Amino acid sequence: MNDILIRNGRVIDPASGLDECADVAIAKGRISRVGKAQAKAKHVIDAHGLVVCPGLIDLHVHCREPGHEEEETIATASAAAVAGGFTTILAMPNTHPPQDNETSIHYVLQRAREAALARVLPVGCITKGQEGKNLAELGLMTQAGAVAFTDDGLGVASASLMQRALQYSGMLSMPLMQHCQDPDLMTGVMNSGAVAVRLGLGGIAASGEQIMLRRDLELVERTGGHYHVQHVSSAGSVELLRQARQKGLDVSAEATPHHLLLTEAACSTYDPNYKMNPPLRSAADVDALRQGVLDGTIDCLATDHAPHSKEEKELEFALAPFGIIGLDCAVGLYAKALIETQLMDWPLMIARMTTGPAKVICNSKPELGRLTVGGIADVTIIDPQADWTVDVSAFASRARNCPYDGWRLPARAVVTIVDGQVKHSLLT
Amino acid sequence: MAKKASSSSRATDGPRLVWTRKDLLGLDDLGPEEIVHILDTAESFKEVSTRSIKKVPLLRGKVVALLFFEASTRTRMSFELAASRLSADTVQFTSSGSSVAKGETTLDTVRNIEAMGVDIFVIRHHQSGACHMLSRNVKASIVNAGDGQHEHPTQALLDIFTIRQRLKRVEGLKVAIVGDIAHSRVARSNILGLKKLGAEVVVVGPPTLVPATIEKMGCTISHNLDDVLGHVDVINMLRIQFERLGGNLFPSIREYSRLYGMNAQRLEQCKPNVLIMHPGPINRGVEITSEVADGPNSCILQQVTNGLAIRMAVLYLVSQV
């Protein structure tokens, strides 16, 4: 007998092209059937009117553990993930100390097992101590279970070091994720332009992102290896990526909810909840990013969930840290940016949250992001007409730095199943 | 031309504007009639400073806290005198030797002082937007005495007040602001205030000190001071900050002074009644020579005098809400 039967949902599996009303059965942590099943199960979920899809994957989450457990822990980030419909999250390595060796990778996996909520996959630093000077032990971290490498928060400034990192990660068949920002041009706290000038705040020009991206694409052309661009923020970067794909380079890219929804104008009140790195840019950039997600230039959606304490976000704009949280309400935010705007329908948006990110980590985790009979039973159920109001105080995340409080969103994850176990459910 | 609601006459005829703002964060928020209302209110306070007993009891029993997180001489003294002429009690604060030096946040510092019963905070802070952040979090009035590179509203108000006094109008005038526009809160507040009252503003300096997008604030840009001299009614010379030299924003003081400094030769190219302003402190011989700064076209000390009346007006108005 099956453990779980999800009946009558709109089953969307971008990997196989499936989009039809069907049932999904789960037994012993595996998908046992997809289609019309007269099967029996211990636990039946009526998914009429709901979307049933592979478990969502978020390539970009800051869990803050070890080092800043007062902001978030692996357990609370996992809780926020499953509350938001994510079955897999990648834990960024800019912790204290940074995740730059096999022991720290083991530690993340251990804490994730104890939390037993989402699948938390560790990402290792590219450079030791995230200092941008010497390569970290990419090989040993791969053996320990790291699924990608990045110095996120900082771009790798040295071109020669980046070249070596690409060669090395290419040998390991591991993706290298870059936070594209030339440090020499990191001269401000918000997008460079008329709004920054009026507010008297230092600007961060899109050229700082594009210069590093251009350089890296030159390197990738020479070295090969999988290169992934984190949180793309500018129209110019989207165009560079489009050209790189046309050349056939092995590149992937992600866009965040805030870069798909908000512009620099939001900074006008000096509210640090609109302070991001890369910064919120112009409406034209938002449009270009949405088009990039539509045509596949940007093949992944990722939250860049970045918890910070209340006191840090009460500081003056320039002193407050960058970043906001996003896991709990991401599905609704993406739907607001991409579906409510009639840019795309659910299958494409779900592809950007399942097959897209799964492809980035496919060499270490080949089974994720699909509904395959016999495959891992990571399943997310979404109410596409939830029409709910965000209440940040009710988030599972420990942090509250989120500008979407009080927003009405068109969709919401209602059930999250990881390894065949229901980890989150809003259904009675 | 039909006489518009002239900014030079006291708005005693017709309904007086009812002031509704608890805070003065910047001129960006104010409408033209609110700016004129402050100027007119200041006009009525000017006379107080000429009395033998320079005091009126309008703020008696009120507490004004002067919190200068960044160094200042004239603005702090001007606010202090303004408060005392209105009979308010004042408390002072400078960030060195305070708990800020021990790592207390700006918000905690201000909340603690507010708990002692303060009605108005006058804040000077090195961070743009600090006053906005505080106004969201405290109940007392906040008066911005300069926040980072954002705004310095009372400076612009006293500049406009002085222009109105000397040239009898603001609307239709052409005003040049010369110098480090990028880092200047005085420039931003002046651009906003002057535009709202119908003046034209041209900002002058090298592109490294004049961001191109400043045009979105409604001014035009020139990189050549000599081109604009003959066309303007007012020239406001900003102080050049020597600490900017390290950032390669301009090659040398010497070159800057030659390209953008105001001197007697340049004054000759100006309209005869051109008004020369400077928010101080002056680097004599750098952005302005002594003969210009101390000459008949200069109104630099008049600006300082008028600052007192403007600050009395602002303290009085926000205290009434």
Side-chain angles (χ1 to χ4, degrees), chain B residues 237-282:
Chain B
M237 302 300 299
L238 301 179
R239 187 175 76 94
I240 198 70
Q241 291 166 292
F242 295 129
E243 60 267 29
R244 301 279 172 222
L245 259 176
N248 279 323
L249 290 170
F250 57 96
S252 72
I253 297 288
R254 185 178 117 94
E255 185 193 279
Y256 178 85
S257 183
R258 290 258 201 100
L259 295 180
Y260 299 105
M262 198 64 204
N263 53 36
Q265 293 76 29
R266 285 204 164 109
L267 191 59
E268 280 174 22
Q269 299 173 50
C270 296
K271 294 184 183 179
N273 292 325
V274 70
L275 194 60
I276 305 291
M277 314 186 82
H278 194 298
I282 296 177

Side-chain angles (χ1 to χ4, degrees), chain A residues 349-360:
Chain A
M349 190 182 110
I350 288 170
R352 303 287 181 254
M353 304 179 78
T354 56
T355 47
K359 189 160 171 262
V360 176

Side-chain angles (χ1 to χ4, degrees), chain B residues 16-230:
Chain B
R16 295 275 296 191
L17 178 138
V18 178
W19 187 262
T20 57
R21 295 181 187 275
K22 165 180 94 76
D23 305 320
L24 178 68
L25 302 179
L27 297 192
D28 205 3
D29 310 321
L30 302 188
E33 64 294 338
E34 287 176 297
I35 294 173
V36 170
H37 186 62
I38 298 173
L39 301 181
D40 290 345
T41 308
E43 203 78 59
S44 65
F45 280 125
K46 252 183 71 180
E47 171 267 332
V48 176
S49 297
T50 64
R51 298 181 193 174
S52 61
I53 296 173
K54 299 176 176 58
K55 241 179 170 51
V56 287
L58 291 167
L59 261 63
R60 192 160 59 196
K62 302 268 187 190
V63 179
V64 176
L66 306 166
L67 308 191
F68 281 68
F69 294 86
E70 188 186 74
S72 158
T73 308
R74 86 200 59 216
T75 304
R76 185 160 55 93
M77 287 186 64
S78 180
F79 267 110
E80 190 183 357
L81 271 175
S84 85
R85 285 187 186 176
L86 294 167
S87 309
D89 296 318
T90 56
V91 285
Q92 291 269 2
F93 161 100
T94 44
S95 45
S96 63
S98 74
S99 51
V100 171
K102 298 172 191 160
E104 190 175 49
T105 66
T106 303
L107 181 55
D108 275 334
T109 302
V110 174
R111 273 179 178 154
N112 274 278
I113 297 169
E114 187 186 34
M116 300 174 198
V118 168
D119 301 291
I120 301 172
F121 285 104
V122 176
I123 310 271
R124 159 73 59 95
H125 202 283
H126 47 278
Q127 290 293 348
S128 302
C131 296
H132 287 71
M133 180 272 287
L134 292 171
S135 90
R136 274 199 295 273
N137 289 290
V138 304
K139 289 194 188 70
S141 287
I142 304 282
V143 174
N144 185 356
D147 65 322
Q149 299 162 8
H150 176 228
E151 280 219 48
H152 191 351
T154 57
Q155 176 70 44
L157 287 166
L158 73 89
D159 290 343
I160 296 168
F161 186 89
T162 307
I163 292 170
R164 194 175 81 160
Q165 190 178 46
R166 285 280 286 254
L167 302 179
K168 309 300 176 204
R169 65 187 174 117
V170 177
E171 192 176 353
L173 292 179
K174 289 186 179 160
V175 180
I177 306 174
V178 184
D180 184 359
I181 309 297
H183 302 94
S184 173
R185 53 193 173 215
V186 175
R188 280 173 182 74
S189 288
N190 261 288
I191 293 167
L192 291 164
L194 288 165
K195 290 300 297 178
K196 286 178 192 215
L197 296 193
E200 277 180 49
V201 180
V202 55
V203 294
V204 185
T208 46
L209 297 178
V210 180
T213 46
I214 196 121
E215 283 188 326
K216 290 271 170 64
M217 292 180 76
C219 56
T220 56
I221 293 175
S222 170
H223 301 307
N224 188 333
L225 179 58
D226 294 307
D227 282 352
V228 306
L229 290 174

